[in-house]
Amino acid sequence: MPPAVSSETSTIVPQQVIVHPLVLLSAVDSYNRSAKGTKRRVVGILLGQNNGDVVNVANSYAIPFEEDEKNASVWFLDHNFMESMNEMFKKINANEKLVGWYHTGPQLRPSDLEINNLLKKYIPNPVLVIIDVKPKSVGLPTNAYFAIDEIEDDGSKSSRTFVHLPSSIEAEEAEEIGVEHLLRDTRDASVGTLATRVTQQAQSLQGLGQRLTEIADYLRKVVDGQLPINHAILAELQSVFNLLPNIFSGPVVSEQALESEAQRAFNVNSNDQLMSIYISSIVRAVIALHDLLDSLAASKAMEQQDIKPTVQNGEVSANAEQKA
Amino acid sequence: MVLEATMILIDNSEWMINGDYIPTRFEAQKDTVHMIFNQKINDNPENMCGLMTIGDNSPQVLSTLTRDYGKFLSAMHDLPVRGNAKFGDGIQIAQLALKHRENKIQRQRIVAFVGSPIVEDEKNLIRLAKRMKKNNVAIDIIHIGELQNESALQHFIDAANSSDSCHLVSIPPSPQLLSDLVNQSPIGQGVVASQNQFEYGVDPNLDVELALALELSMAEERARQEVAAQKSSEETEDKKMQE
């Protein structure tokens, strides 16, 4: 799929933003140092590569930032500090270029567009990543945004707005090792890998449940007329439903029949699985009994051998004494 | 020799294209900004200056606190003259910039040019002035052109003033250069005033030899004046005797 282009500025909107763990670590560290326990947010610069489709955020640094909580138009960002830091980072790693900026939100703020415009002096299309340092819900702690000119249908003046971009967290091998090293004290050694896997599965299902609830809320609002119909979203949802496995065969008579058929299908499947578990447990029990009988027979044979006296060089001694 | 961090606020609203100051209000401001920057930097080797605009509908920091004249020049280059000025927001942003100064020993000062009508409510301005006073920020205002602002600005300065640290200089249009007029005002005389606290205008800690030479010269001059006074008194006595 070709990258989307905003018609006003003809800028290529990235399809995905990849954030590295180092960036998250840097943001959290900066927040804990300067804004912990306050409503303030921390702002920083993102460094990495932007190849049009994918923005790879590999590094970051915080910058001095201050704002008035009551007045959104009063904020200060030290861009001279940013310029000098960029110069120094160029000397260390020329591949890591300025790709955007981050803040610890946790939501978009009214001054974000103005800050984004300030960064346009240094880079044509900066990406904004909001890093939630205190995530309350399951899922990724990052939200990526990109500023575009939104052209109104009624022909009025175009306004600048943020569009949401899909973001993911990916790590290089060295970073993975580093993260594991950092988490070595936090991981509970008594909890096995199975428990960890089950917890992860549960969290995944919880996240999936949240997404499905969001979809249901959206569709309900569309039906009630609170939101306009968006054919692109509906097409995506249709493709999601098409990908679901078809567990019902034949015509649907009623909802009850549908439920009973589904129930029967699940029962058959679970019975098959339970049958295999049952057979395997019986086999294990039989093998265990067989091993037990074998060991009993072997021990009896050993006892009989120990009782018989053995003559060696005219001396009478038992096997047990020889062993001693 | 006051150790200061100064933010200079330029008014680049569309009112600045007026030609009642030579050559225009905006160009006159730029000359004055250069003069103030040089004065502040030469006043103390650790002084720093920053620059920001309050016009173009939104205040913008052009240069954070620096001693680099080149950075200051490049920040002032190609400034747009448009929109309306937001004086209150500009003062608040300048205060945030001063809050992030490297050397916390530096005193904080804002030098603001106001050449367009102030749209802010006077109560809000006084509240802002009190906040500046609380944060130990001194404010100098160079008021040009729109003289209907004067009472509001005077109230603002009165509210922000502590131990005569804030000044309001209203300069009506005249054939003289704005920079010269500001230089003669209390804002421009900051350097001279600070030099006058030492005898002969030289800090003996910075230049011991010069201070000593001036003292010797002064002693010689006093001796010469005493001799001259004695001679004149003797001459008058001789004249009286002759008469």
Side-chain angles (χ1 to χ4, degrees), chain A residues 13-256:
Chain A
V13 179
Q15 294 298 297
Q16 194 190 12
V17 176
I18 297 168
V19 182
H20 286 246
L22 185 64
V23 175
L24 302 179
L25 188 71
S26 170
V28 171
D29 177 56
S30 176
Y31 178 83
N32 285 338
R33 284 172 191 273
S34 61
K36 197 175 185 181
T38 65
K39 287 183 181 178
R40 285 172 58 217
R41 58 176 172 162
V42 168
V43 173
I45 297 298
L46 300 174
L47 304 169
Q49 298 84 34
N50 184 352
N51 63 7
D53 270 4
V54 179
V55 178
N56 182 40
V57 181
N59 205 344
S60 70
Y61 60 87
I63 48 175
F65 176 78
E66 197 84 31
E67 67 182 335
D68 193 330
E69 287 172 16
K70 292 170 188 172
N71 189 350
S73 61
V74 175
W75 55 271
F76 165 73
L77 188 144
D78 195 341
H79 52 86
N80 286 26
F81 174 86
M82 188 177 88
E83 286 166 21
S84 56
M85 283 294 280
N86 283 347
E87 288 299 317
M88 288 189 280
F89 267 102
K90 266 183 201 170
K91 291 172 185 174
I92 296 165
N93 192 346
N95 292 336
E96 286 180 358
K97 294 181 175 69
L98 199 154
V99 291
W101 62 291
Y102 74 83
H103 70 77
T104 57
Q107 278 98 29
L108 283 167
R109 303 266 185 109
S111 57
D112 287 352
L113 274 169
E114 289 178 37
I115 298 168
N116 204 69
N117 287 341
L118 174 66
L119 262 85
K120 282 177 86 74
K121 286 181 184 177
Y122 308 99
I123 171 177
N125 303 304
V127 170
L128 163 61
V129 177
I130 296 177
I131 299 169
D132 190 358
V133 289
K134 291 179 179 176
K136 291 178 178 68
S137 60
V138 178
L140 294 179
T142 57
N143 282 308
Y145 297 92
F146 188 82
I148 59 158
D149 287 311
E150 194 174 49
I151 299 160
E152 303 296 332
D153 295 333
D154 57 2
S156 61
K157 190 183 174 185
S158 65
S159 59
R160 203 142 181 81
T161 183
F162 281 115
V163 289
H164 190 271
L165 300 177
S167 61
S168 63
I169 294 170
E170 292 180 19
E172 291 173 11
E173 194 178 351
E175 282 179 309
E176 281 179 7
I177 293 162
V179 169
E180 281 176 19
H181 185 68
L182 283 170
L183 296 174
R184 70 192 186 282
D185 295 329
T186 59
R187 189 177 287 129
D188 192 351
S190 62
V191 178
T193 52
L194 179 63
T196 311
R197 278 171 61 192
V198 169
T199 309
Q200 285 171 352
Q201 290 273 18
Q203 284 180 342
S204 301
L205 289 169
Q206 202 178 335
L208 179 63
Q210 283 179 1
R211 301 291 181 276
L212 291 171
T213 310
E214 276 180 35
I215 290 167
D217 288 343
Y218 169 75
L219 291 172
R220 204 171 287 116
K221 282 177 182 174
V222 170
V223 169
D224 295 343
Q226 292 176 18
L227 288 172
I229 293 171
N230 189 321
H231 294 289
I233 293 171
L234 292 177
E236 287 287 346
L237 287 174
Q238 187 60 57
S239 61
V240 167
F241 294 134
N242 290 343
L243 288 167
L244 288 170
N246 186 15
I247 57 170
F248 312 118
S249 57
V252 177
V253 181
S254 66
E255 202 173 314
Q256 201 173 354

Side-chain angles (χ1 to χ4, degrees), chain B residues 140 164 166-169 181-191 193:
Chain B
D140 291 335
D164 199 33
C166 304
H167 306 99
L168 170 65
V169 177
L181 293 167
V182 170
N183 202 18
Q184 291 159 21
S185 72
I187 295 169
Q189 294 300 315
V191 177

Side-chain angles (χ1 to χ4, degrees), chain B residues 9-10 24 66 76 104 126 153 168-169 178 231:
Chain B
L9 275 63
I10 294 183
T24 62
T66 181
M76 284 185 75
K104 299 293 178 191
I126 288 167
L153 289 173
L168 170 65
V169 177
L178 179 65
K231 273 187 181 179

